Amino acid sequence: MIPVQLTIEGLYSYQERQIIDFKNLTDAGLFGIFGSVGSGKSSILEAISFALYGETERLNMRDKRAYNMMNLKSNTSYIEFDFLNFENKLFRATRDFRRNSKKFDDVKPSSVTFYQQIEGKWIPLEHSNAEQIIGLNYANFKRTIIIPQGQFKEFLELGATERTTMMKEIFNLQRFDLQNNVASLNVKNRSELDQLDGQLKGFEEITEEQISAQKETLKTEQHKFSEAKDNFQKISASFQQLKNLKTDFENLKQKKENFSNLSAQKAEIDILETKTDLYDRVSRIFNPLLVEKNKLSKEISVKQSDAEKQNTTVKQTEAQFHSIKEQLTAIQPKFEALEQSKIQENDLNLILQILNYSDEIKKLKERTQKGSKEVQEVEEKRKNIQHNIDLLSKEAETLKPKKLDSNLLLQVGNWFIQQKNLKKSQEDQSEKIKKQELQIQQISDELKAFPENFKESFQQKKENLEIQKKEFLQKLDHLKIQQELAKFTSELHNGEACPLCGSSEHPNIVEFHDVHSELKEVEEKVQSVDKELINLQKKENEIDKILERKGIFENQLKAEQEIISDIQHHIENHLKQFIWTEFSYKKEAEFEAKRSSSLEAEKQIEQLNQTIFKERETLAKEIENLEKYQKALETFKIQEAKKEEQINSNRSNLKILNWENYSDKTTEEIENIYQTLSKSNTETEKNYHELVQKEKQISPKLAEEKAILNQLEKQISELKLEILSNTELINASLSQNNFNSFSEIETILHQKINVEERRNWIQKFKIDFETLKNGIHELEEKLKDFSFDHEQFAAKENEFNDAENHLKQINDLVVKLSSEIERLEKEYRKKEDLLKELSQLQKRSENLKVMTNLFKAAGFVQYVSSIYLRQLCDHANIRFHRMTRNQLSLQLNENNDFEIIDYLNEGRSRSVKTLSGGQSFQVSLSLALALAESVQANAQSDKNFFFIDEGFGTQDIESVNIVFETLNALQKENRIVGIISHVEELKEKIPVALEIVKDEERGSLIHIV
């Protein structure tokens, strides 16, 4: 994965949108990201991780991640990350989330979209799975590409199980986990073996000998079948001739019997034909006339019935019409007097209104009197409240001079707070300096145990020891040569070739004494010198560490002294900023007293203002009530005047009745008189109009019913004429066809003969009669020269049946034998196939047993994982060995756990947990680089990226140089490395870098340096 561009906005300390173009950074091969603590350096890595995986190292979902990641001054957060994957394809990942405008701590979950650039256009993907694009899950991404703060040693300290799982995921070692595959193959093979065993049990009796015996039997039976077949064909031909002759004689006999039956029926058939012809002629002539007669009879009957019903309806309607006329005559006088009665009803209504208005005027006068008292009381309350407001306002005015300017108090108060903080910082810094000086003094006391020129002394001792070691080694080599020559001289004999010069003569053989004890003594001296060298190196390393600690503490002391100097400078500048003449910077207590007095006055003024505000609210309500009461009084007076005016209007509108006759009566009495009269008038008018409406409805109905009755009587007369005409036509047809009466016609037609069906049946009889007659004649001509003997036929039939049964028995036996032989041959071939398959499965079973033992309990995966780990360890040692000046290297023990080989301690192994912080960084970096290289090779990518977010603060100057040499060398291997640090000295070693500056107003800002 190679970063291309990162956009951040509203994330952690990044308030404004910041864009990082990684092109110049990645082109350099090695780049840095620098800034002070808390400036937002690590947030860049978190932004990349969150954009890709939706995960961060610092926060999870339970930590309200969206809310805590969002900048507190922002309402939206946005991350956009462009990158190249291992296939060199360009992708983009975007995430954003928003703050709820109504609830500050409610930040909605982020929306995520992944894109791929295709032909210059960003095409959205259907998924947001970064693992599918990059080839790494989040955990392995942290271990091989972006290593967050505090996680650098994670891979080194992983347990064997977790490390194996990681190796499986990164290098796809699951493909070597074939245990389940082998198990399923084994189960399948075992199942197939069981099935074959069961199948072969059914083939135990099938043999080649059995098949050969069956074939011999078949040949014998086939010969018998051939002889029986020839004999059957001869008998069958003779029998078939007799059978045909018998059929002809039986057929002739049957036809003669059928002809005799038909001859007996012929006379009856002729009579039926005559009757059918008569029925057909009468039906064609008289049926239409009879149909017409019946139709007319039905119609006249229906019309006569309708006429009787209509006559009854007309009589009823006439009676109803006369009744309505009588009721109208009776109600007419009362209806004519209705107008005067209604005027009287209206006058009573006006009198009722006058009485009601009088009662309402009395009530209005009472309410007006009561309202006037309420207005006076409210006016008195208003005056009292206004008086209280005036008194409170005067009291507040007297307190205002005691209140000081709040901005002035705030500024002076902040000055005193800063003054306290600066003094506190000065005291704390002085304490730190004392501790640093004490630690430096303690280290100096430790160094007193060693001479001042210990470096030269140690160097001289080393050189002396090396000279001694060299002399001992030379002597040791000389003694070993003597020892070997002594072996040669002991083996030299005259006449035998010398192994060195080849001569067969040995005149002067040198004699050597035994040097074994001397050799042992020199070897012990060499070992003793090596031990002294190692001890000297240990002491020198120990003194170097003490000096390094002293240098660190002296640098820290210098830095702390600079800090306290800055604090003193700040204090002096702060004193110059005290510009308020009404106060003294030496008298903070006096300022606090004045501020307290001012705050108390401000508090009293605030309380008075609140009381005034409440009084004014009460005053506004009382004024509102006063206005409301005054408006109500005016309304009462207006309503009273309107009622008086209405009373006068009603009295002047009276037409028949006189007001004086009713002024003494009560409202209830007049109401009863009015209701009675109103009800009577309403009923009279209603009844009269209903009777008139009924008269209008029934008059046309009566005329319509009479017209219908006349029409029915006319139609009945017309039907009687048509019936008379039909009778005359029937009589004329009887005379023309020589019938005496109509009853003869009815008798004939009563038969209901199906003419067409009867004639077809008669025609068929005639055809059958003639056909039989001709058939008998033909058979008699055919058989006139033949005779038939039943006994001879029976004997021949028995002979035929015996021959047929014999042939069938032999044929069935041949067929059965052929089928059995075919079945046996087929089963035998199947048996041979099953035996071959059984042999293959048994061999496969043996192989699967071997594979089961090999892949059991993921053992093969563990084996492959250990190979990958050892290769990884070898690659890491190339760099780690160099970084530690050939003093340490890494190895795997038998449990696949990492251990350290310490060459300063006779090459013994120890736990990686015993490494110092700097050494842990070196080995972790070496492992991470080796792991990243393996991932790169596995992904077959040209370039790869690696980010480091810690570690350099633990290295000395020489180690830092070695680490940077290693990182610079990675450029030749197409590796890109980014470093995050707050150590300013590292900027000089990095060719290209980003500077993160945190502005108090604008948040974190990114600059390229």
Side-chain angles (χ1 to χ4, degrees):
M1 189 276 293
I2 304 295
V4 176
Q5 182 172 290
L6 176 66
T7 302
I8 313 174
E9 181 181 2
L11 187 77
Y12 289 124
S13 58
Y14 290 90
Q15 183 178 343
E16 299 179 2
R17 177 165 291 201
Q18 301 293 304
I19 299 175
I20 302 174
D21 186 353
F22 283 97
K23 187 176 186 308
N24 293 332
L25 301 176
T26 55
D27 286 347
L30 178 64
F31 67 90
I33 298 179
F34 296 99
S36 59
V37 175
S39 61
K41 303 184 298 299
S42 298
S43 298
I44 294 174
L45 299 193
E46 288 217 37
I48 294 174
S49 299
F50 188 73
L52 292 173
Y53 295 95
E55 296 287 345
T56 68
E57 190 61 26
R58 285 187 278 184
L59 300 170
N60 54 39
M61 292 300 293
R62 294 190 300 273
D63 298 324
K64 295 178 66 176
R65 180 166 58 204
Y67 169 76
N68 286 304
M69 286 180 70
M70 183 179 286
N71 185 279
L72 293 175
K73 294 182 180 180
S74 301
N75 294 320
T76 61
S77 292
Y78 179 74
I79 308 172
E80 179 182 283
F81 181 52
D82 297 351
F83 61 96
L84 294 168
N85 76 337
F86 61 89
E87 298 174 318
N88 210 33
K89 294 179 180 178
L90 184 58
F91 291 88
R92 171 175 288 175
T94 63
R95 291 182 187 264
D96 65 271
F97 33 90
R98 298 180 178 275
R99 194 186 302 281
N100 190 331
S101 59
K102 297 181 180 178
K103 190 176 180 183
F104 185 80
D105 60 350
D106 180 19
V107 178
K108 296 179 180 178
S110 64
S111 63
V112 55
T113 308
F114 276 61
Y115 302 85
Q116 182 180 355
Q117 191 177 85
I118 301 174
E119 296 179 356
K121 295 182 180 179
W122 289 107
I123 308 300
L125 301 182
E126 295 180 356
H127 67 87
S128 57
N129 188 349
E131 183 177 351
Q132 184 176 333
I133 297 170
I134 298 173
L136 295 171
N137 62 20
Y138 176 58
N140 293 330
F141 179 80
K142 293 189 301 177
R143 293 163 181 159
T144 59
I145 293 182
I146 291 182
I147 303 181
Q149 246 178 10
Q151 301 295 316
F152 205 71
K153 296 194 296 181
E154 182 191 11
F155 178 61
L156 181 68
E157 297 175 353
L158 280 177
T161 303
E162 291 83 357
R163 193 182 298 113
T164 300
T165 302
M166 174 184 168
M167 299 296 286
K168 284 170 63 177
E169 292 177 358
I170 291 178
F171 299 108
N172 192 25
L173 300 185
Q174 293 90 338
R175 65 185 187 276
F176 298 113
D177 188 4
L178 304 176
Q179 179 182 359
N180 293 334
N181 295 347
V182 173
S184 62
L185 287 174
N186 204 2
V187 170
K188 182 181 177 183
N189 194 71
R190 174 50 55 194
S191 175
E192 290 176 358
L193 274 172
D194 293 341
Q195 289 178 6
L196 281 177
D197 287 337
Q199 290 176 16
L200 284 169
K201 287 180 181 178
F203 296 94
E204 292 176 351
E205 297 181 357
I206 297 173
T207 62
E208 289 185 6
E209 293 77 10
Q210 183 184 13
I211 295 171
S212 298
Q214 291 287 351
K215 285 182 177 179
E216 290 297 325
T217 305
L218 176 62
K219 286 180 182 179
T220 303
E221 293 301 326
Q222 283 177 338
H223 179 69
K224 289 180 182 180
F225 176 76
S226 179
E227 292 177 351
K229 186 177 180 182
D230 293 340
N231 182 47
F232 174 75
Q233 287 176 350
K234 293 176 183 178
I235 295 171
S236 177
S238 176
F239 175 71
Q240 193 63 39
Q241 290 176 355
L242 287 174
K243 188 176 180 181
N244 291 338
L245 186 62
K246 179 187 177 186
T247 302
D248 288 342
F249 274 102
E250 288 177 350
N251 195 11
L252 177 61
K253 182 181 177 182
Q254 184 65 42
K255 284 186 177 183
K256 285 180 177 181
E257 290 176 359
N258 293 340
F259 184 75
S260 176
N261 292 332
L262 289 177
S263 298
Q265 298 175 13
K266 192 171 187 311
E268 184 181 350
I269 294 300
D270 291 339
I271 294 170
L272 281 174
E273 186 175 12
T274 303
K275 286 183 178 180
T276 302
D277 291 341
L278 177 61
Y279 179 83
D280 184 33
R281 182 168 61 84
V282 171
S283 176
R284 281 187 284 102
I285 295 170
F286 289 97
N287 253 347
L289 296 172
L290 288 173
V291 170
E292 182 66 19
K293 180 182 178 183
N294 292 333
K295 177 186 174 186
L296 292 172
S297 297
K298 287 181 181 179
E299 285 185 4
I300 197 168
S301 175
V302 170
K303 295 294 181 184
Q304 287 174 347
S305 175
D306 291 343
E308 290 175 1
K309 291 178 182 177
Q310 188 65 26
N311 189 31
T312 303
T313 302
V314 169
K315 288 180 179 178
Q316 291 174 351
T317 305
E318 284 180 340
Q320 190 177 0
F321 181 75
H322 291 315
S323 173
I324 290 169
K325 280 286 188 183
E326 289 174 359
Q327 292 177 23
L328 275 172
T329 303
I331 202 172
Q332 186 69 33
K334 195 172 181 181
F335 179 74
E336 290 173 353
L338 186 62
E339 185 176 355
Q340 289 295 320
S341 183
K342 282 188 174 182
I343 293 171
Q344 186 176 357
E345 178 187 345
N346 187 55
D347 285 354
L348 284 170
N349 186 34
L350 292 172
I351 290 169
L352 267 175
Q353 289 179 4
I354 291 170
L355 291 173
N356 288 330
Y357 289 151
S358 299
D359 292 339
E360 289 176 3
I361 288 170
K362 289 179 183 178
K363 291 178 182 178
L364 286 170
K365 287 181 177 178
E366 291 174 358
R367 294 179 69 183
T368 301
Q369 186 177 1
K370 185 177 178 182
S372 299
K373 291 181 180 179
E374 290 288 342
V375 168
Q376 291 176 359
E377 291 176 0
V378 171
E379 179 65 24
E380 188 65 28
K381 286 182 181 179
R382 186 190 67 77
K383 291 179 180 179
N384 292 335
I385 292 169
Q386 186 61 50
H387 180 68
N388 289 338
I389 290 172
D390 294 340
L391 291 176
L392 290 169
S393 298
K394 289 179 181 179
E395 187 176 352
E397 288 297 325
T398 58
L399 289 171
K400 281 182 180 179
K402 297 180 181 180
K403 178 188 171 187
L404 299 175
D405 183 19
S406 57
N407 288 330
L408 175 65
L409 291 173
L410 180 63
Q411 291 174 4
V412 178
N414 288 337
W415 188 93
F416 279 113
I417 291 170
Q418 291 178 15
Q419 179 74 359
K420 286 181 180 178
N421 291 337
L422 287 170
K423 287 183 178 180
K424 179 69 166 59
S425 299
Q426 189 180 34
E427 292 171 0
D428 293 343
Q429 198 62 30
S430 299
E431 188 65 30
K432 285 183 181 180
I433 289 171
K434 288 179 182 178
K435 289 180 180 179
Q436 294 288 345
E437 289 173 345
L438 180 61
Q439 288 174 334
I440 291 170
Q441 184 61 42
Q442 290 174 351
I443 292 170
S444 298
D445 293 340
E446 289 180 25
L447 288 173
K448 287 179 181 179
F450 303 100
E452 292 184 3
N453 56 347
F454 71 93
K455 281 278 186 184
E456 291 80 1
S457 175
F458 281 165
Q459 187 63 33
Q460 185 63 43
K461 287 181 180 179
K462 282 182 183 179
E463 289 175 358
N464 293 336
L465 287 170
E466 289 290 345
I467 291 169
Q468 290 180 21
K469 182 178 178 181
K470 188 175 179 180
E471 290 175 354
F472 288 142
L473 288 173
Q474 288 175 352
K475 187 174 181 180
L476 185 66
D477 290 339
H478 180 70
L479 289 171
K480 286 181 179 178
I481 291 169
Q482 282 187 348
Q483 190 179 34
E484 291 298 322
L485 289 173
K487 288 181 181 178
F488 284 127
T489 56
S490 64
E491 295 175 357
L492 289 177
H493 302 286
N494 288 325
E496 294 180 2
C498 175
L500 295 176
C501 64
S503 175
S504 58
E505 295 181 359
H506 319 291
N508 298 311
I509 298 173
V510 180
E511 293 185 4
F512 296 97
H513 63 278
D514 186 9
V515 294
H516 180 73
S517 58
E518 194 174 352
L519 264 174
K520 188 175 182 182
E521 183 182 349
V522 174
E523 286 175 350
E524 288 175 355
K525 289 179 179 180
V526 171
Q527 291 177 359
S528 175
V529 170
D530 284 339
K531 287 181 180 178
E532 288 185 34
L533 282 170
I534 291 170
N535 290 331
L536 277 174
Q537 184 63 47
K538 284 183 180 178
K539 289 180 180 180
E540 187 177 359
N541 289 341
E542 185 180 350
I543 296 171
D544 284 341
K545 288 180 181 178
I546 294 171
L547 288 172
E548 185 179 345
R549 282 169 51 213
K550 184 180 180 184
I552 291 170
F553 285 127
E554 286 174 346
N555 290 334
Q556 289 178 351
L557 176 61
K558 185 178 178 182
E560 299 296 347
Q561 288 173 342
E562 289 176 357
I563 292 171
I564 198 169
S565 177
D566 289 340
I567 293 171
Q568 184 61 38
H569 181 66
H570 285 313
I571 291 172
E572 293 171 359
N573 289 336
H574 191 63
L575 287 171
K576 293 176 183 178
Q577 293 174 3
F578 196 89
I579 56 174
W580 303 282
T581 56
E582 57 267 53
F583 303 107
S584 172
Y585 71 88
K586 297 179 180 178
K587 298 178 180 179
E588 185 181 355
E590 182 182 332
F591 163 74
E592 290 296 336
K594 289 182 179 180
R595 182 162 68 172
S596 299
S597 176
S598 175
L599 291 173
E600 183 63 30
E602 185 177 1
K603 184 177 179 182
Q604 291 177 1
I605 291 170
E606 182 63 27
Q607 290 175 348
L608 288 172
N609 287 335
Q610 289 179 359
T611 306
I612 291 170
F613 178 75
K614 290 179 181 179
E615 290 292 330
R616 283 178 176 165
E617 283 185 341
T618 307
L619 177 62
K621 288 180 182 178
E622 293 300 331
I623 292 172
E624 185 180 347
N625 290 336
L626 179 62
E627 291 175 352
K628 185 170 68 174
Y629 291 152
Q630 288 174 345
K631 286 180 181 178
L633 285 175
E634 292 176 1
T635 303
F636 294 158
K637 291 177 182 178
I638 292 169
Q639 288 178 353
E640 185 179 343
K642 286 182 178 179
K643 301 296 180 187
E644 289 287 351
E645 183 180 352
Q646 193 65 43
I647 289 172
N648 295 331
S649 175
N650 284 4
R651 290 180 67 177
S652 64
N653 288 330
L654 293 174
K655 295 179 179 178
I656 296 176
L657 301 179
N658 192 350
W659 160 249
E660 283 76 11
N661 296 334
Y662 293 92
S663 59
D664 296 334
K665 295 183 180 292
T666 62
T667 304
E668 289 76 10
E669 291 174 343
I670 295 173
E671 179 69 29
N672 290 334
I673 296 170
Y674 169 76
Q675 291 295 338
T676 302
L677 181 61
S678 175
K679 185 177 180 182
S680 174
N681 290 340
T682 302
E683 287 178 355
T684 299
E685 186 174 13
K686 178 183 176 184
N687 292 337
Y688 179 80
H689 287 303
E690 285 178 353
L691 289 169
V692 170
Q693 186 65 27
K694 287 180 180 179
E695 182 186 18
K696 288 180 181 180
Q697 291 174 353
I698 206 167
S699 179
K701 182 181 177 183
L702 180 61
E704 181 184 357
E705 289 174 352
K706 287 181 177 180
I708 292 170
L709 181 59
N710 291 334
Q711 184 68 24
L712 287 170
E713 289 173 350
K714 183 179 179 182
Q715 290 173 354
I716 290 169
S717 299
E718 292 174 352
L719 287 170
K720 285 179 179 179
L721 292 174
E722 289 181 9
I723 290 170
L724 181 60
S725 174
N726 178 261
T727 303
E728 290 174 355
L729 287 173
I730 291 172
N731 291 332
S733 296
L734 288 171
S735 175
Q736 291 173 4
N737 290 281
N738 299 320
F739 289 108
N740 295 324
S741 66
F742 186 72
S743 59
E744 294 179 22
I745 301 301
E746 288 180 338
T747 301
I748 293 169
L749 292 175
H750 186 67
Q751 297 177 24
K752 294 183 180 179
I753 297 171
N754 188 332
V755 176
E756 184 177 0
E757 183 180 337
R758 180 71 61 83
R759 281 179 174 166
N760 289 336
W761 184 73
I762 292 169
Q763 183 66 24
K764 182 177 179 300
F765 176 82
K766 289 179 178 180
I767 292 170
D768 291 343
F769 184 81
E770 292 298 326
T771 302
L772 276 173
K773 185 177 178 182
N774 293 331
I776 291 169
H777 178 69
E778 289 175 357
L779 282 173
E780 286 175 343
E781 286 294 323
K782 180 181 178 183
L783 299 173
K784 64 183 179 178
D785 298 327
F786 293 96
S787 62
F788 178 74
D789 187 351
H790 285 284
E791 292 180 359
Q792 182 185 0
F793 177 80
K796 200 67 177 176
E797 185 178 20
N798 290 334
E799 184 182 2
F800 172 80
N801 290 336
D802 291 342
E804 185 180 31
N805 290 333
H806 181 63
L807 180 64
K808 185 176 181 302
Q809 288 174 359
I810 296 174
N811 183 61
D812 289 345
L813 183 57
V814 170
V815 171
K816 183 177 179 183
L817 285 170
S818 299
S819 299
E820 180 64 14
I821 289 169
E822 184 180 357
R823 183 188 70 80
L824 288 173
E825 288 178 338
K826 186 178 180 181
E827 293 296 312
Y828 187 75
R829 289 193 298 271
K830 192 182 292 185
K831 179 180 179 181
E832 287 182 331
D833 293 340
L834 290 174
L835 287 171
K836 289 179 183 177
E837 190 176 351
L838 179 66
S839 177
Q840 292 175 355
L841 288 175
Q842 286 172 342
K843 290 179 181 178
R844 184 179 177 82
S845 179
E846 294 300 322
N847 293 334
L848 286 172
K849 285 180 182 178
V850 176
M851 293 176 71
T852 300
N853 293 330
L854 178 63
F855 297 115
K856 183 167 60 178
F860 191 64
V861 176
Q862 297 285 355
Y863 171 71
V864 175
S865 176
S866 66
I867 291 174
Y868 274 81
L869 274 173
R870 292 185 190 283
Q871 291 176 351
L872 194 66
C873 189
D874 293 340
H875 291 155
N877 272 330
I878 295 171
R879 295 188 176 94
F880 181 51
H881 204 53
R882 186 169 65 248
M883 288 183 191
T884 59
R885 306 175 188 88
N886 302 322
Q887 294 177 5
L888 302 174
S889 64
L890 193 67
Q891 73 171 9
L892 282 171
N893 61 17
E894 63 276 3
N895 297 322
N896 275 352
D897 288 325
F898 285 121
E899 289 182 345
I900 295 299
I901 299 176
D902 190 345
Y903 295 105
L904 296 181
N905 290 286
E906 300 177 355
R908 298 182 185 277
S909 62
R910 55 188 172 95
S911 172
V912 292
K913 296 179 181 179
T914 62
L915 294 174
S916 66
Q919 291 171 333
S920 294
F921 169 75
Q922 291 171 346
V923 71
S924 298
L925 175 61
S926 301
L927 269 175
L929 290 172
L931 183 61
E933 287 170 359
S934 299
V935 171
Q936 176 184 356
N938 193 52
Q940 297 180 348
S941 58
D942 296 333
K943 287 187 176 182
N944 216 326
F945 180 69
F946 186 74
F947 232 129
I948 303 172
D949 187 11
E950 63 178 322
F952 291 95
T954 62
Q955 303 295 296
D956 57 29
I957 296 173
E958 187 176 354
S959 297
V960 168
N961 291 331
I962 294 173
V963 170
F964 270 96
E965 286 176 11
T966 302
L967 297 178
N968 278 319
L970 292 175
Q971 298 180 58
K972 299 176 183 177
E973 304 169 17
N974 282 334
R975 299 284 296 164
I976 301 165
V977 179
I979 298 170
I980 290 182
S981 179
H982 61 273
V983 180
E984 290 293 325
E985 290 79 0
L986 294 177
K987 286 185 183 180
E988 300 175 2
K989 299 180 180 293
I990 304 295
V992 182
L994 298 178
E995 177 74 23
I996 313 296
V997 179
K998 189 172 182 181
D999 186 271
E1000 292 184 0
E1001 296 296 327
R1002 301 172 61 191
S1004 294
L1005 304 174
I1006 299 174
H1007 306 287
I1008 297 178
V1009 295

